[in-house]
Amino acid sequence: MAPSARVRVQLPLPLPEPYDYRVPGDMALVPGSYVEVPLGPRRLFGVVWADGDGQGERVEERKLRPVMRAIDLPPMPEITRRFVEWVAAYTMSPVGAVLRMAVSVSAALEDPRALTAYTRSDAPVPDDLRLTPARKRILEILSDGPPRLAADVAAEAGCGTGVVRGLAEAGVLTTVPMLALPRFPRPDPDANPKTLSGAQRLAADDLSAKVSAGGYSATLLDGVTGSGKTEVYFEAVAAALRTGKQALVLLPEIALSAQWLDRFAQRFGVRPAEWHSEMAPPLRRHTWRAVAKGEARVVVGARSALFLPYPDLGLIVVDEEHEAAFKQEDGVIYHARDMAVARAHLGRFPIVLASATPSLETLVNAENGRYSRIDLPSRHGGASMPDVTLIDMRRKEQAPPARQWLSPVLREALSQTMLAGEQGMLFLNRRGYAPLTLCRGCGHRLQCPNCTAWLVEHRLTKRLQCHHCGYQAKSPDACPECEAEGSFVACGPGVERVAEEVAALFPDARIAMMTSDTLSGPQALRTVIEQVKEGAVDLLIGTQVMAKGHHFPMLTLVGVVDADLGLAGGDPRASERTFQLLHQVAGRAGREERPGRVMLQTYMPENPVMQALASHDRDSFLAVEADQRRQLEMPPFGRMAALIVSGEDEGAVDAIAAALGRAAPRDREDLTILGPAPAPLAILRGRYRRRLLIKGPKTLSLQPVLYDWLSRVEVPASIRVQVDIDPYSFL
Ligand code: ADP
Ligand code: ZN
């Protein structure tokens, strides 16, 4: 065979370089072809990255192992491969680690298997079958309605798929072949367009023109909550559909976006393809293939949807572009918004960044002309912005009774709201019952064995939980320190505790909770949303899952239990984030005819964040924030990266952190090096963590500096050094 019949195959493993393989004579491969190849004793899926000619070190011809199989799929588009390489270079990750995100469903490359669905059989439940709570839930779920996939049932029941299969083995469930995977019919751009207001029309026309013309552009769509940003960018999606392009909409938390999906279906006649980590594997595989084949025209997804192999992507929308959820914090550390801009640039098409509270990064780009900007200044249909008042919790008359958390004014407002037949919402961004549990006798605090964190009491599940690593334990009967029985007291409020207080205050109120603990999945969320919309709920209590996007016409009062919560800690974006979150929560009030009001309980009413919220003066607040960051050369006015050193042996971690500290480029005047210092979460999941920060001017690219720096320290395999370019988390 010809000597050139070798290919370089990139494997989805943390490898910097593709490996060479021999192409069997009858196999036709092109760059991008998906193949199955041997690696040691394993068989792996990979992507042909290039011809083997003249690249890298040549493996001897006779040592080359052959490609085993070419997969019958359209090759990975060149743009996707270039994007994978670009992200790898930017985040300083191995190309293969990024590729793994692009073929995250390596099973997608396998031929589709028939799917099996489960349904209740006619057989009665045998007496000897122990009905665990999970089994009971599964039987309830399947007691009526169509057969469903094991993964879907398990997700709703909050257990593993093994429990579903076990019930089938016990004869209580039967299986039926299920072929009804979604078919991704084309969304119809003309199905059900809304009549847009003047400002909305101008915005929509501008974006549509950009999409139709093609070519890279980045546009900030800046508008208060309820101004119709979604309606406007739907028109850009329609333009993409009309020009035969695929469109991608990134949402911060797709699993929580039931209302968004319904609106899309309303507007375009069919649902879009969804992409997120909680999808059942068969559906993931199916969706991945539909995108690769160009059948799925509109994808809505979480950050990982960016890496799907779109053959003709022509628009990306990043909704709520300021959201921290777009930053992936483990594995390849990347910011999906920033990578989306890079993807649009590479693919030469427009990107739209939508937000009511844009990030400083994006605002600065809009100000210096790198992005264009469209404003939607007012709420649709003339709804006014809610009235925001600050409740100064330092004042005696505002103090709640001992071990309670709502001030008298807020209580009064809740009561008035319900009397008027309207709905109220209480927001506290803290799950569980109490953030800290301590022994009344000796002061012992219950701490996570794996992390530098207190255990959070969850009364609903009767367990203590670590919110960082997921560790769970039963509440102990006696203090492990002084052995006193029943001596534990809950300190501080979590949402469950606020719910308890409210239930005691308003025994007749119909209360619903919205937290990630109480909502087991999209369906559960949809149910609560429906109940609120139908007026079957008087008071809604929840965490930030409640803050997102929901539109409740009768909701007129929002109470924020602890507005100061996000301001503590060393995060340079703490003020910006707190403003964004509280602004978004506030935006739930008074979205239709009835005016809304918002009450913020705070111990620092003079803080610029609180002042900005009360006076609806976002722009002056951000101008002050920007000034401070400019002076400190903090992002977005300077560049920053973090090195996180971690490992199970504290001494070894310290030694490497110290070595990195010594090898740091400290002689350069344009760079500032901070650390090594213990990370605030000095122990996470049983690993010790140290952190170094490097800061430089905006004009400098930090990656070459970091490559050089890291090359001067040899790191043993037991220690991990993660690079976080543009860090957002300082834990
Ligand atoms: P945003 O995304 O800016 O928060 P939305 O697009 O969600 O705003 O709009 C808020 C509400 O107003 C939604 O229920 C939406 O359907 C409605 N709305 C906005 N613009 C229009 C319009 N032109 N015609 C009818 N309803 C609209
Ligand atoms: Zn933990």
Short mmCIF file of all heavy atoms in Angstrom, two decimals, residues 124-152:
data_model
loop_
_atom_site.label_atom_id
_atom_site.label_comp_id
_atom_site.label_asym_id
_atom_site.label_seq_id
_atom_site.Cartn_x
_atom_site.Cartn_y
_atom_site.Cartn_z
N PRO A 124 -49.39 -8.19 39.78
CA PRO A 124 -49.44 -7.46 41.06
C PRO A 124 -48.05 -7.42 41.70
O PRO A 124 -47.20 -8.24 41.36
CB PRO A 124 -50.41 -8.30 41.90
CG PRO A 124 -50.37 -9.67 41.30
CD PRO A 124 -50.01 -9.51 39.86
N VAL A 125 -47.85 -6.47 42.58
CA VAL A 125 -46.56 -6.39 43.27
C VAL A 125 -46.44 -7.58 44.20
O VAL A 125 -47.29 -7.78 45.07
CB VAL A 125 -46.47 -5.08 44.08
CG1 VAL A 125 -45.13 -4.99 44.80
CG2 VAL A 125 -46.68 -3.88 43.16
N PRO A 126 -45.41 -8.43 44.00
CA PRO A 126 -45.28 -9.62 44.87
C PRO A 126 -45.04 -9.22 46.33
O PRO A 126 -44.45 -8.17 46.59
CB PRO A 126 -44.06 -10.35 44.29
CG PRO A 126 -43.44 -9.46 43.28
CD PRO A 126 -44.36 -8.31 43.01
N ASP A 127 -45.52 -10.04 47.21
CA ASP A 127 -45.43 -9.72 48.65
C ASP A 127 -44.00 -9.60 49.14
O ASP A 127 -43.70 -8.85 50.05
CB ASP A 127 -46.16 -10.79 49.47
CG ASP A 127 -47.67 -10.70 49.22
OD1 ASP A 127 -48.11 -9.62 48.81
OD2 ASP A 127 -48.35 -11.72 49.42
N ASP A 128 -43.11 -10.41 48.51
CA ASP A 128 -41.74 -10.40 49.02
C ASP A 128 -40.91 -9.26 48.44
O ASP A 128 -39.72 -9.14 48.74
CB ASP A 128 -41.07 -11.75 48.73
CG ASP A 128 -41.05 -12.04 47.24
OD1 ASP A 128 -41.83 -11.40 46.51
OD2 ASP A 128 -40.25 -12.90 46.82
N LEU A 129 -41.51 -8.40 47.60
CA LEU A 129 -40.73 -7.28 47.03
C LEU A 129 -40.75 -6.12 48.02
O LEU A 129 -41.82 -5.59 48.36
CB LEU A 129 -41.33 -6.84 45.69
CG LEU A 129 -40.53 -5.77 44.98
CD1 LEU A 129 -39.31 -6.38 44.29
CD2 LEU A 129 -41.38 -5.02 43.96
N ARG A 130 -39.57 -5.76 48.48
CA ARG A 130 -39.51 -4.66 49.44
C ARG A 130 -39.76 -3.34 48.70
O ARG A 130 -39.07 -3.00 47.75
CB ARG A 130 -38.14 -4.64 50.12
CG ARG A 130 -38.18 -4.01 51.49
CD ARG A 130 -36.90 -4.38 52.26
NE ARG A 130 -35.71 -4.00 51.51
CZ ARG A 130 -35.21 -2.77 51.48
NH1 ARG A 130 -35.77 -1.82 52.19
NH2 ARG A 130 -34.13 -2.50 50.78
N LEU A 131 -40.78 -2.61 49.10
CA LEU A 131 -41.09 -1.36 48.41
C LEU A 131 -40.32 -0.20 49.02
O LEU A 131 -40.80 0.51 49.89
CB LEU A 131 -42.59 -1.10 48.45
CG LEU A 131 -43.38 -1.71 47.29
CD1 LEU A 131 -44.81 -1.24 47.31
CD2 LEU A 131 -42.74 -1.40 45.94
N THR A 132 -39.11 -0.02 48.56
CA THR A 132 -38.32 1.12 49.02
C THR A 132 -38.97 2.40 48.50
O THR A 132 -39.77 2.35 47.56
CB THR A 132 -36.90 1.04 48.45
OG1 THR A 132 -37.01 1.06 47.02
CG2 THR A 132 -36.19 -0.22 48.89
N PRO A 133 -38.64 3.55 49.10
CA PRO A 133 -39.24 4.81 48.61
C PRO A 133 -38.98 5.01 47.11
O PRO A 133 -39.88 5.44 46.38
CB PRO A 133 -38.54 5.88 49.44
CG PRO A 133 -38.08 5.19 50.69
CD PRO A 133 -37.82 3.76 50.29
N ALA A 134 -37.77 4.68 46.64
CA ALA A 134 -37.46 4.89 45.23
C ALA A 134 -38.34 4.00 44.36
O ALA A 134 -38.91 4.44 43.36
CB ALA A 134 -35.99 4.59 44.96
N ARG A 135 -38.49 2.75 44.76
CA ARG A 135 -39.33 1.83 43.99
C ARG A 135 -40.77 2.32 43.95
O ARG A 135 -41.44 2.27 42.93
CB ARG A 135 -39.28 0.43 44.60
CG ARG A 135 -38.00 -0.29 44.26
CD ARG A 135 -37.95 -1.63 44.92
NE ARG A 135 -36.89 -2.45 44.35
CZ ARG A 135 -36.47 -3.59 44.89
NH1 ARG A 135 -37.03 -4.02 46.00
NH2 ARG A 135 -35.51 -4.27 44.33
N LYS A 136 -41.23 2.80 45.10
CA LYS A 136 -42.60 3.30 45.18
C LYS A 136 -42.80 4.46 44.21
O LYS A 136 -43.79 4.54 43.49
CB LYS A 136 -42.88 3.77 46.62
CG LYS A 136 -44.03 3.02 47.25
CD LYS A 136 -44.43 3.69 48.54
CE LYS A 136 -44.42 2.67 49.66
NZ LYS A 136 -44.06 3.21 50.94
N ARG A 137 -41.81 5.36 44.21
CA ARG A 137 -41.93 6.52 43.31
C ARG A 137 -41.98 6.07 41.86
O ARG A 137 -42.77 6.58 41.07
CB ARG A 137 -40.76 7.48 43.53
CG ARG A 137 -40.95 8.39 44.75
CD ARG A 137 -40.00 9.57 44.70
NE ARG A 137 -38.60 9.18 44.74
CZ ARG A 137 -37.92 8.91 45.86
NH1 ARG A 137 -38.52 9.00 47.03
NH2 ARG A 137 -36.65 8.56 45.80
N ILE A 138 -41.16 5.10 41.53
CA ILE A 138 -41.14 4.63 40.13
C ILE A 138 -42.50 4.05 39.75
O ILE A 138 -43.04 4.35 38.69
CB ILE A 138 -40.04 3.56 39.95
CG1 ILE A 138 -38.67 4.23 40.09
CG2 ILE A 138 -40.17 2.86 38.60
CD1 ILE A 138 -37.51 3.25 40.13
N LEU A 139 -43.07 3.27 40.65
CA LEU A 139 -44.37 2.67 40.34
C LEU A 139 -45.43 3.76 40.19
O LEU A 139 -46.30 3.69 39.32
CB LEU A 139 -44.77 1.67 41.44
CG LEU A 139 -43.90 0.42 41.49
CD1 LEU A 139 -44.38 -0.53 42.58
CD2 LEU A 139 -43.89 -0.30 40.14
N GLU A 140 -45.33 4.79 41.03
CA GLU A 140 -46.29 5.90 40.89
C GLU A 140 -46.14 6.58 39.54
O GLU A 140 -47.11 6.85 38.84
CB GLU A 140 -46.03 6.94 41.99
CG GLU A 140 -46.91 6.77 43.21
CD GLU A 140 -46.32 7.52 44.40
OE1 GLU A 140 -45.77 8.62 44.19
OE2 GLU A 140 -46.41 6.98 45.52
N ILE A 141 -44.88 6.85 39.19
CA ILE A 141 -44.62 7.56 37.95
C ILE A 141 -45.15 6.78 36.75
O ILE A 141 -45.70 7.35 35.82
CB ILE A 141 -43.10 7.83 37.80
CG1 ILE A 141 -42.64 8.82 38.87
CG2 ILE A 141 -42.76 8.35 36.41
CD1 ILE A 141 -41.13 8.86 39.04
N LEU A 142 -44.99 5.47 36.82
CA LEU A 142 -45.38 4.66 35.66
C LEU A 142 -46.81 4.13 35.77
O LEU A 142 -47.26 3.37 34.92
CB LEU A 142 -44.41 3.49 35.48
CG LEU A 142 -43.00 3.88 35.01
CD1 LEU A 142 -42.11 2.67 34.94
CD2 LEU A 142 -43.06 4.57 33.65
N SER A 143 -47.53 4.55 36.81
CA SER A 143 -48.87 3.97 37.00
C SER A 143 -49.82 4.41 35.90
O SER A 143 -50.76 3.72 35.56
CB SER A 143 -49.42 4.35 38.37
OG SER A 143 -49.54 5.75 38.44
N ASP A 144 -49.62 5.60 35.35
CA ASP A 144 -50.39 5.92 34.15
C ASP A 144 -49.47 6.65 33.17
O ASP A 144 -48.32 6.92 33.47
CB ASP A 144 -51.63 6.77 34.49
CG ASP A 144 -51.27 8.05 35.19
OD1 ASP A 144 -50.06 8.27 35.47
OD2 ASP A 144 -52.16 8.84 35.49
N GLY A 145 -49.96 6.91 32.01
CA GLY A 145 -49.14 7.57 31.01
C GLY A 145 -48.37 6.57 30.17
O GLY A 145 -48.39 5.37 30.44
N PRO A 146 -47.67 7.07 29.18
CA PRO A 146 -46.99 6.20 28.21
C PRO A 146 -45.74 5.56 28.81
O PRO A 146 -45.23 6.03 29.83
CB PRO A 146 -46.61 7.17 27.10
CG PRO A 146 -46.50 8.50 27.78
CD PRO A 146 -47.46 8.49 28.91
N PRO A 147 -45.23 4.50 28.19
CA PRO A 147 -43.96 3.90 28.62
C PRO A 147 -42.84 4.94 28.54
O PRO A 147 -42.88 5.83 27.69
CB PRO A 147 -43.72 2.79 27.59
CG PRO A 147 -45.03 2.56 26.94
CD PRO A 147 -45.80 3.82 27.03
N ARG A 148 -41.86 4.81 29.44
CA ARG A 148 -40.80 5.82 29.45
C ARG A 148 -39.43 5.18 29.59
O ARG A 148 -39.29 4.07 30.08
CB ARG A 148 -41.06 6.80 30.60
CG ARG A 148 -42.42 7.46 30.42
CD ARG A 148 -42.72 8.46 31.48
NE ARG A 148 -41.62 9.39 31.70
CZ ARG A 148 -41.62 10.25 32.71
NH1 ARG A 148 -42.61 10.28 33.57
NH2 ARG A 148 -40.60 11.06 32.87
N LEU A 149 -38.41 5.94 29.16
CA LEU A 149 -37.04 5.44 29.23
C LEU A 149 -36.60 5.31 30.68
O LEU A 149 -36.97 6.12 31.53
CB LEU A 149 -36.09 6.41 28.53
CG LEU A 149 -36.31 6.57 27.02
CD1 LEU A 149 -35.41 7.67 26.48
CD2 LEU A 149 -36.03 5.25 26.32
N ALA A 150 -35.77 4.30 30.94
CA ALA A 150 -35.28 4.09 32.30
C ALA A 150 -34.64 5.36 32.86
O ALA A 150 -34.89 5.74 34.00
CB ALA A 150 -34.28 2.94 32.32
N ALA A 151 -33.84 6.03 32.02
CA ALA A 151 -33.13 7.21 32.52
C ALA A 151 -34.11 8.31 32.91
O ALA A 151 -33.89 9.02 33.90
CB ALA A 151 -32.17 7.72 31.45
N ASP A 152 -35.17 8.48 32.15
CA ASP A 152 -36.15 9.52 32.46
C ASP A 152 -36.89 9.20 33.76
O ASP A 152 -37.09 10.07 34.61
CB ASP A 152 -37.17 9.66 31.33
CG ASP A 152 -36.55 10.28 30.09
OD1 ASP A 152 -35.45 10.86 30.22
OD2 ASP A 152 -37.15 10.16 29.01
#
